[in-house]
């Protein structure tokens, strides 16, 4: 499965992919914070 592959040392690192991962992580964190807020702080 793709998630469990080792990092390929020969593949060059791409700044665009790094930025995409940061944006994805930020979006997931904001979503989870919003979900927690919705569950616990609204009636």
């Amino acid at each position: 499965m793709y998630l469990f592959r080792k990092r390929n040392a020969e593949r060059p690192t791409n700044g665009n992919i790094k930025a995409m991962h940061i944006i994805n992580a930020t979006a997931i964190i904001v979503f989870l914070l919003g979900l927690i807020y919705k569950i616990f702080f609204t009636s």
Side-chain angles (χ1 to χ4, degrees), residues 16-32:
N16 290 333
I17 292 178
K18 212 173 259 191
M20 180 192 70
H21 284 297
I22 292 170
I23 292 170
N24 264 349
T26 306
I28 290 169
I29 290 169
V30 169
F31 172 75
L32 290 175

Side-chain angles (χ1 to χ4, degrees), residues 3-26:
L3 294 174
F4 301 110
R5 284 197 307 191
K6 290 184 181 176
R7 206 173 273 256
N8 188 355
E10 296 176 4
R11 187 172 44 193
T13 56
N14 190 347
N16 290 333
I17 292 178
K18 212 173 259 191
M20 180 192 70
H21 284 297
I22 292 170
I23 292 170
N24 264 349
T26 306

